[in-house]
């Protein structure tokens, strides 16, 4: 029996199950029936807890072709490939708008491979990792699972995911944003193909700030905030939301052996000092109250907010066309580098070689540019395939930010970083402690706890 999966670090965005019902639900049900969905009975289990960066001003132009931001030419209907025949079983927790996207993906897969059937089973998000692991360890389970990278380490430890290095040609990996692919490696081996990703970037209110005046550096952002409350910013005081500034100021989090190196330069202390200065400005907030920050931004009390794509629907309903997305400001040393986390498709290691071949056909389709476009269109997700056509300007803004993103570290040392690293910001912002001292003490606490 697999031990319960470790809980995710607290993040301010919903699980798939919490996304609103898509407008295409009826189409979803019909298409999923067509694709042979829900033919399985779930295993009963207890619920578990669950390259160089482009210059800031040139990012949009430089990335447009790679990100699929230019309209793609109309393609001729795909020629069916008759030698791909059989049945692939897929487990997932995609619901609402995500299910609409999945239905479209399954339909285009069936059109391309008419003899390939995909049977799907929905399993609740919190139950999915344990149910999948129990089924595979019992000699069964699906061929593929759609899952977040948060569970990868536990799944590898349980022996329930197949390494893909010998199954997927390296050239096929070039289509993905590097950070999305890096998220699906564990101890040097690739275990999944990425479907979509999340990260934070900078929202802005077009009424309060003109596009020509958008900040390119953290110094610009501070100067704008000092001009008056309406050109201020809301920053959620969490490690996930603020990490982007550490490398932008020259700080390095980890050595190759997992030792924390925040105290090896002045970068972390300088970024903390910048945050503390910003927090003293009227109309600028670096705060632990996430709901307050969202509310004030929606009311037009300040021009900028750092958050992720999970907030697009809520913010757009309040601000409409006033809402914009742009790059996070560069630091004095480097571009902003937010953490990026990815979802992916993973393979059952117990299936036969022939079944592996069929499963890979399906997995490569799920992660194709075509399927990425469906994820963006129907579910407003950020496709991991950088050739996917994305027409939503807000999503395009997040895709631009992916060019400088770092993969969220998926190593055991992060267990201590989440707690002590988050406290590091609070001690400086709320306790008015000296940033240099706090960085040194935080580094020592994390390394001691990790035995480094």
């Amino acid at each position: 029996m697999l031990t319960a999966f470790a809980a995710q670090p607290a993040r301010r965005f919903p699980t798939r199950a919490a996304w609103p019902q898509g407008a295409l639900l009826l189409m979803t049900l019909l298409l999923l029936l067509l694709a042979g969905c829900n033919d399985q009975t779930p295993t009963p289990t207890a619920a578990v807890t669950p390259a160089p960066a482009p210059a800031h001003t040139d990012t949009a132009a430089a990335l447009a072709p790679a990100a699929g931001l230019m309209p793609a030419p109309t393609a001729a209907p795909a020629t069916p490939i008759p030698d791909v025949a059989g049945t692939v079983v897929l487990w997932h927790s995609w619901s609402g708008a995500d299910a609409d996207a999945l239905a479209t993906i399954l339909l285009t897969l069936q059109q391309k491979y008419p003899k390939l059937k995909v049977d799907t089973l929905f399993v609740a998000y919190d139950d999915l990792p344990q149910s999948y692991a129990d089924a595979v360890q019992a000699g069964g389970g699906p061929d593929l699972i759609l899952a977040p990278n948060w569970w990868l380490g536990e799944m590898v430890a349980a022996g329930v995911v197949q390494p893909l290095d010998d199954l997927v040609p390296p050239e096929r990996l070039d289509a993905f944003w590097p950070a999305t692919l890096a998220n699906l490696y564990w101890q040097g081996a690739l275990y999944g193909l990425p479907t979509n990703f999340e990260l934070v970037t900078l929202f802005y209110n077009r009424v309060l700030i003109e596009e020509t005046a958008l900040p390119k550096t953290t110094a610009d952002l501070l100067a704008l905030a000092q001009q008056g409350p309406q050109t201020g910013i809301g920053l959620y005081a969490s490690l996930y939301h603020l990490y982007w500034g550490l490398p932008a100021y020259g700080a390095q989090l980890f050595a190759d052996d997992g030792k924390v190196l925040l105290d090896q330069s002045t970068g972390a202390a300088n970024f903390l000092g910048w945050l503390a200065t910003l927090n003293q400005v009227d109309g600028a907030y670096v705060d632990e109250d996430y709901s307050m920050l969202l509310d004030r931004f929606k009311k037009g009390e300040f021009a900028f907010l750092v958050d992720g794509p999970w907030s697009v629907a809520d913010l757009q309903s309040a601000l409409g066309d006033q809402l914009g997305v742009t790059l996070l400001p560069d630091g004095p040393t480097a571009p902003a580098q937010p953490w990026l986390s990815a979802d992916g498709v993973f393979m059952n290691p117990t299936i036969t070689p022939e079944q592996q071949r069929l499963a890979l056909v399906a997995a490569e389709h799920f992660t194709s540019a075509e399927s990425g476009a469906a994820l963006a269109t129907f579910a407003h997700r950020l496709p991991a395939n950088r050739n996917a056509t994305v027409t939503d300007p807000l999503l395009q803004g997040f895709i631009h930010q992916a060019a400088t993103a770092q993969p969220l570290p998926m190593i055991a040392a992060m267990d201590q970083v989440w707690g002590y690293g988050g406290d590091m910001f609070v001690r400086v912002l709320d306790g008015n402690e000296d940033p240099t001292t706090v960085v040194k003490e935080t580094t020592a606490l994390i390394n001691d706890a990790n035995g480094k």
Side-chain angles (χ1 to χ4, degrees):
M1 174 68 71
L2 180 68
T3 57
F5 281 80
Q8 296 181 14
R11 297 183 295 167
R12 290 287 185 169
F13 50 90
T15 62
R16 292 188 180 279
W19 279 66
Q21 181 68 32
L24 301 178
L25 179 58
L26 180 59
M27 182 193 77
T28 300
L29 295 174
L30 293 173
L31 293 177
L32 291 178
L33 286 172
L34 179 63
C37 299
N38 297 328
D39 291 347
Q40 301 283 320
T41 301
T43 304
T45 62
V48 298
T49 304
H56 193 287
T57 54
D58 296 334
T59 304
L63 294 181
L69 303 181
M70 302 299 292
T74 303
T79 302
I81 304 177
D83 64 336
V84 178
T87 299
V88 171
V89 179
L90 171 75
W91 285 12
H92 68 94
S93 59
W94 290 18
S95 63
D98 293 319
D100 295 336
L102 180 58
T104 300
I105 292 169
L106 291 171
L107 180 62
T108 55
L109 177 65
Q110 185 182 57
Q111 291 171 342
K112 188 174 183 180
Y113 302 104
K115 295 184 180 180
L116 179 62
K117 180 183 179 183
V118 178
D119 290 340
T120 70
L121 174 68
F122 175 86
V123 182
Y125 182 85
D126 288 348
D127 296 337
L128 181 59
Q130 193 73 59
S131 297
Y132 170 74
D134 288 346
V136 173
Q137 290 175 337
D143 302 299
L144 298 171
I145 178 177
L146 292 170
N149 66 326
W150 298 93
W151 301 335
L152 180 55
E154 301 257 6
M155 292 195 297
V156 172
V160 298
V161 281
Q162 170 69 42
L164 301 180
D165 300 274
D166 295 334
L167 300 176
V168 180
E171 62 270 15
R172 294 188 186 175
L173 305 178
D174 294 339
F176 302 111
W177 290 109
T180 66
L181 202 61
N183 264 189
L184 304 185
Y185 278 86
W186 187 263
Q187 297 178 341
L190 178 65
Y191 284 93
L193 298 179
T195 54
N196 57 282
F197 68 92
E198 290 174 325
L199 79 173
V200 299
T201 194
L202 190 65
F203 287 103
Y204 68 97
N205 187 325
R206 297 180 185 275
V207 172
L208 303 180
I209 188 77
E210 294 184 3
E211 190 169 349
T212 56
L214 291 173
K216 296 179 174 61
T217 68
T218 52
D220 295 342
L221 185 57
L222 178 59
L224 281 169
Q226 292 170 335
Q227 290 178 13
Q230 287 197 315
T231 48
I233 184 171
L235 282 166
Y236 180 43
S238 75
L239 180 60
Y240 185 86
H241 278 69
L242 295 178
Y243 174 79
W244 59 271
L246 292 173
Y249 274 72
Q252 181 179 347
L253 179 56
F254 285 120
D256 291 341
D257 63 356
K259 183 177 180 178
V260 171
L261 302 176
L262 289 176
D263 62 347
Q264 297 302 299
S265 75
T266 61
N270 290 342
F271 179 53
L272 288 170
W274 178 82
L275 289 171
T277 300
L278 182 68
N279 201 37
Q280 298 301 312
V281 177
D282 186 24
Y285 303 86
V286 189
D287 202 280
E288 295 177 88
D289 190 338
Y290 178 79
S291 297
M292 177 273 290
L293 296 172
L294 281 177
D295 185 61
R296 286 178 180 269
F297 181 69
K298 288 189 288 187
K299 290 178 179 178
E301 294 186 21
F302 46 76
F304 301 103
L305 176 74
V306 173
D307 208 9
W310 49 86
S311 292
V312 167
D314 183 32
L315 297 178
Q316 202 167 31
S317 68
L319 298 175
D321 293 340
Q322 299 176 19
L323 184 66
V325 172
T326 190
L327 293 172
L328 290 163
D330 296 343
T333 301
Q337 298 168 55
W339 271 331
L340 180 153
S341 58
D343 288 3
V345 56
F346 304 90
M347 183 185 294
N348 184 335
T350 68
I351 61 178
T352 66
E354 174 57 24
Q355 201 62 23
Q356 283 185 351
R357 185 180 77 89
L358 294 177
L360 276 175
V361 169
E364 290 179 354
H365 180 77
F366 294 153
T367 58
S368 66
E370 179 183 22
S371 296
L375 281 169
T377 300
F378 295 107
H380 305 292
R381 295 284 185 175
L382 304 174
N385 191 310
R386 53 183 169 181
N387 297 314
T389 299
V390 177
T391 59
D392 186 328
L394 299 179
L395 294 186
Q396 289 175 6
F398 284 96
I399 290 172
H400 294 162
Q401 191 67 71
T404 64
Q406 291 187 11
L408 179 67
M410 301 305 295
I411 60 177
M414 280 297 295
D415 290 345
Q416 302 299 328
V417 171
W418 286 118
Y420 289 118
D423 290 345
M424 178 177 70
F425 293 101
V426 174
R427 289 175 61 185
V428 172
L429 295 168
D430 293 349
N432 296 314
E433 297 186 47
D434 174 63
T436 300
T437 301
V438 171
V439 170
K440 289 181 178 179
E441 292 179 356
T442 299
T443 302
L445 286 168
I446 296 172
N447 287 331
D448 287 347
N450 285 329
K452 299 294 183 180

